[in-house]
Structure formats: structure tokens, C-alpha cells
Amino acid sequence: VQLQASGGGLVQAGGSLRLSCAASGSIFSVNSAGWYRQVPGKRRELVAAITSGGTTNYADSVKGRFTISRDSAKNTVYLQMNSLKPEDTAVYYCHVFAYDVIMKGHDYWGRGTQVTVSS
């Protein structure tokens, strides 16, 4: 299973970006998908997550500004980021927790995509 993330870049404060994460390979059932971010010297933190049932969860720092969504038919999860702030600058990682055909759970991580917000 591979996760291909895209959509990062450089944006001015107040701007918007949309991250995409497409999953490919043998996935029987996706339980949840999400985005994490990490800055140098700090732990990776959850930004947003969405379950197979559509329940979402956001970090307090992004509530009201970021929206996570998924297209199950395309095995893709999105993160719409609006009203970006310099403190949103980080490497963003896509994460999927999925079951294989024998119902064993696995964590999958995509390669990070850099988001830089200038003031």
C-alpha cells in the first residue's frame, strides 16, 4: 500500500491550500484516515482525521479553518486549509489505518509534504 500526498507549497498568511492523499495497493477496508504535521524538534501531531463513517476530529488549533474529507471511490483523503497562519508551517503527513483481507490492521504513512506559510 502506498500513500501519495500532494498539494503542499508556499502561501501567504490568510491564504489557502488543499492537500490530497491517494492510496493505492491492496486495501480491504479503511478504518480511518488523517493528516498529521511535524516541525523540527517537535513531536508529530494530529491535525485532522476522518473515520469510515464520516466522523471527523480536528486539533483545536485548526478548528474552523481546516476541513478534512474523503472520496472512498478514489481512495483519496483531502485537507482543505483556509486562513492559514505562519504557525501552520510544517511537514504534513497523510496517515491511513486499514485492514487487509485477513482483517489485520495496519498503519500506513505517506511521505510528507511541506507547507510553508509566510507572514
Side-chain angles (χ1 to χ4, degrees), residues 7-45:
L10 172 65
V11 65
Q12 288 187 332
S16 298
L17 285 174
R18 188 174 86 150
L19 304 183
S20 299
C21 177
S24 61
S26 180
I27 298 177
F28 181 75
S29 176
V30 174
N31 178 265
S32 64
W35 292 92
Y36 288 71
R37 66 187 180 188
Q38 189 171 23
V39 297
K42 292 190 176 182
R43 297 180 63 178
R44 191 172 296 186
E45 64 173 2

Side-chain angles (χ1 to χ4, degrees), residues 12-119:
Q12 288 187 332
S16 298
L17 285 174
R18 188 174 86 150
L19 304 183
S20 299
C21 177
S24 61
S26 180
I27 298 177
F28 181 75
S29 176
V30 174
N31 178 265
S32 64
W35 292 92
Y36 288 71
R37 66 187 180 188
Q38 189 171 23
V39 297
K42 292 190 176 182
R43 297 180 63 178
R44 191 172 296 186
E45 64 173 2
L46 175 68
V47 176
I50 185 167
T51 69
S52 58
T55 300
T56 57
N57 182 38
Y58 296 93
D60 287 342
S61 60
V62 306
K63 283 180 180 178
R65 300 187 298 121
F66 291 10
T67 302
I68 190 169
S69 61
R70 63 188 292 176
D71 185 334
S72 297
K74 296 181 179 180
N75 276 342
T76 301
V77 62
Y78 306 96
L79 185 67
Q80 179 66 42
M81 305 185 293
N82 298 329
S83 302
L84 282 161
K85 303 175 181 180
E87 50 264 44
D88 294 318
T89 295
V91 177
Y92 284 70
Y93 296 90
C94 176
H95 170 263
V96 167
F97 181 79
Y99 295 98
D100 59 23
V101 293
I102 61 171
M103 297 308 290
K104 180 179 178 181
H106 301 272
D107 285 291
Y108 300 101
W109 291 92
R111 296 180 66 178
T113 184
Q114 176 71 45
V115 171
T116 303
V117 184
S118 63
S119 56

